[in-house]
Amino acid sequence: MPFPRASQALSRFTVLDLTRVRSGPTCVRQLADWGANVIKIDALLEDGGGEQPGGPRHGSDFQNLHRNKRAMTLNLKDPKGLEVFKRLAAKADVVVENFRPDVKGKLGIDYESLRQINPRIVYGSISGFGQDGPYHKRPGFDQIAQGMGGLMSVTGAPGQGPMRVGIPVADLTAGLFCALGILTALLEREVSGEGQWVQTSLLQAQIFMLDFQASRWLMEKEVAKQAGNNHPTSIPTGVFKTSDGYINIATTGGRIWERCAQAIGAPELITNPDYATAPARSRNRDALNAAINKLTEKKSTETWVRELNEAGVPCGPIYSIDQMFEDAQVKHLGIAQHVPNDENRHIQLVGQPMTLSRTPSKMAARPPEFGEQTEEVLAEFGFGKDEIADLRQRKVV
């Protein structure tokens, strides 16, 4: 029975997945969710054991990262295992890895080595700090990149010290950027006929994600500081207390500010010289926030969300994760999706945040068990039954 594809969009491409933990699997998930033939290479050691970094295989984290893939085992440290991998790479379109930069060279599976076998190969690499340079041999972790990439210096309340973001944003964005680079290289290959090496790092991804905060320094030499829940430039924008919780209110420009003041029952704030202009509101931000808080505390979050939206003022509740998944719009978008499986396990994961009208993505297959499709994959690449049996006996697969 053919392996079910998540989409037809990338179904013509075969991807060899050497990635581990988060940034690399995030990259390959993008390819798998759009229908690429992804083969996850599970590391097999000389003793037949396997390495499983990234948490339990049936844990929510692993499951969310590795759906819509197949898996085979392979010992890349064995010369025969390296030979097997090169036979796979000769027919593949993409290889993705997130080893330390020197590891792939030692294994003999670096881009230059594979390019000699398959000039069309697109090779995606994610590292902590880059493939070369003074830090290239350092191990890279998300929080390290958040700190070195400037994010922690602008996150959190003023005076309370640096604060990490609540998700592994450097890992995730590095994975997404690598996937984008791979897709770009595949498009370019249609013109040139040649593959190329796609490189990114946690540090580069994190710096890119600073966006306007980075450009404020590069263009204006202004060092952004922590602002807590206050938006650095659109004022008043932030978190305000209600009678039963909190609400986000966002005002950009004078007209929305005026609608906000009217909606909360404080039209006098519009003409108050302390708040009449954007520079004045910036100078007197704390006093203005306090004035707004006195009024928002009088009604519930639900009431304010309704009234402010009716007045054309951007706002929204602040959900816990369970509350978020119960929201009517979130349910309508269908981003929480069930994954089919023969074991009757409850697997519900986060689907793709974008839709394509003709070739949509879906949860087509549960994450594979360790080396689950080894024989199936090898047979597709031309390995005979006796050859596969011999590889198993030698503990190569």
Side-chain angles (χ1 to χ4, degrees):
M1 181 177 178
F3 185 74
R5 299 294 183 91
S7 174
Q8 290 302 307
L10 300 179
S11 60
R12 67 189 185 276
F13 298 116
T14 293
V15 179
L16 302 181
D17 178 10
L18 293 169
T19 68
R20 309 173 297 170
V21 191
R22 186 175 313 283
S23 63
T26 297
C27 167
V28 181
R29 178 177 60 189
Q30 290 303 108
L31 307 177
D33 279 2
W34 293 104
N37 174 28
V38 172
I39 300 161
K40 174 174 165 47
I41 310 292
D42 285 327
L44 188 68
L45 301 181
E46 286 83 351
D47 62 1
E51 301 176 62
Q52 290 302 302
R57 203 170 190 101
H58 285 184
S60 58
D61 195 13
F62 188 99
Q63 296 282 294
N64 198 44
L65 285 167
H66 295 287
R67 72 279 186 109
N68 295 325
K69 303 178 182 180
R70 291 185 293 172
M72 63 170 288
T73 53
L74 187 61
N75 181 2
L76 287 170
K77 295 180 180 180
D78 185 296
K80 191 68 177 177
L82 176 61
E83 180 185 323
V84 171
F85 182 79
K86 288 184 175 181
R87 283 177 63 178
L88 301 178
K91 295 184 177 181
D93 297 284
V94 178
V95 171
V96 188
E97 58 84 23
N98 62 331
F99 300 125
R100 289 195 203 180
D102 58 334
V103 170
K104 53 187 167 288
K106 292 177 180 177
L107 290 173
I109 56 170
D110 54 289
Y111 171 65
E112 288 300 326
S113 297
L114 298 188
R115 188 168 71 92
Q116 302 304 314
I117 302 165
N118 180 0
R120 290 174 56 83
I121 201 77
V122 172
Y123 193 105
S125 293
I126 305 173
S127 60
F129 303 98
Q131 296 297 313
D132 47 34
Y135 301 158
H136 80 281
K137 290 186 178 180
R138 292 185 183 182
F141 292 90
D142 177 85
Q143 188 159 336
I144 308 302
Q146 286 194 31
M148 292 180 67
L151 182 62
M152 292 174 67
S153 73
V154 296
T155 304
Q160 293 187 8
M163 180 67 65
R164 67 179 289 274
V165 174
I167 59 169
V169 64
D171 274 339
L172 297 175
T173 54
L176 294 174
F177 292 145
C178 188
L180 179 59
I182 288 168
L183 295 175
T184 303
L186 288 171
L187 283 172
E188 193 279 337
R189 191 180 73 173
E190 295 180 1
V191 178
S192 68
E194 295 184 25
Q196 54 187 307
W197 189 8
V198 177
Q199 304 173 37
T200 189
S201 68
L202 274 60
L203 184 59
Q204 287 168 285
Q206 185 57 82
I207 293 170
F208 185 87
M209 290 301 292
L210 285 181
D211 199 64
F212 75 97
Q213 297 286 43
S215 66
R216 286 171 70 185
W217 164 251
L218 292 174
M219 295 291 292
E220 298 153 11
K221 302 306 177 189
E222 180 181 346
V223 178
K225 298 179 180 179
Q226 291 170 305
N229 290 317
N230 291 323
H231 192 278
T233 57
S234 298
I235 301 162
T237 294
V239 174
F240 298 92
K241 189 168 176 52
T242 65
S243 64
D244 61 352
Y246 295 90
I247 186 174
N248 272 316
I249 300 175
T251 67
T252 54
R255 289 187 178 180
I256 295 180
W257 156 239
E258 290 176 9
R259 291 202 294 265
C260 177
Q262 293 283 359
I264 63 176
E268 70 279 2
L269 295 177
I270 299 171
T271 55
N272 186 317
D274 288 341
Y275 316 129
T277 66
R281 291 193 293 277
S282 180
R283 287 193 304 270
N284 300 295
R285 177 203 292 269
D286 292 341
L288 179 56
N289 285 349
I292 295 172
N293 256 311
K294 286 183 180 179
L295 298 168
T296 57
E297 287 178 340
K298 296 179 180 180
K299 297 180 182 179
S300 68
T301 297
E302 182 179 2
T303 300
W304 280 124
V305 168
R306 183 182 69 252
E307 293 184 1
L308 289 168
N309 273 293
E310 288 173 353
V313 178
C315 69
I318 300 173
Y319 288 143
S320 58
I321 293 174
D322 58 331
Q323 291 172 329
M324 174 269 292
F325 278 115
E326 289 300 312
D327 181 87
Q329 184 66 26
V330 175
K331 287 185 174 181
H332 171 77
L333 292 170
I335 198 166
Q337 299 175 15
H338 290 279
V339 184
N341 65 95
D342 295 333
E343 299 88 355
N344 293 317
R345 286 197 287 129
H346 172 72
I347 308 176
Q348 191 175 23
L349 303 173
V350 180
Q352 282 292 317
M354 53 190 170
T355 59
L356 273 64
S357 60
R358 287 190 298 102
T359 57
S361 173
K362 64 181 180 180
M363 298 290 182
R366 61 158 174 76
E369 298 299 324
F370 182 72
E372 182 175 353
Q373 290 93 2
T374 300
E375 284 86 355
E376 176 183 312
V377 169
L378 290 174
E380 288 176 9
F381 278 81
F383 289 78
K385 288 185 178 180
D386 291 343
E387 193 174 10
I388 295 171
D390 181 59
L391 290 172
R392 278 209 177 277
Q393 184 177 6
R394 295 188 185 197
K395 295 183 178 179
V396 173
V397 300

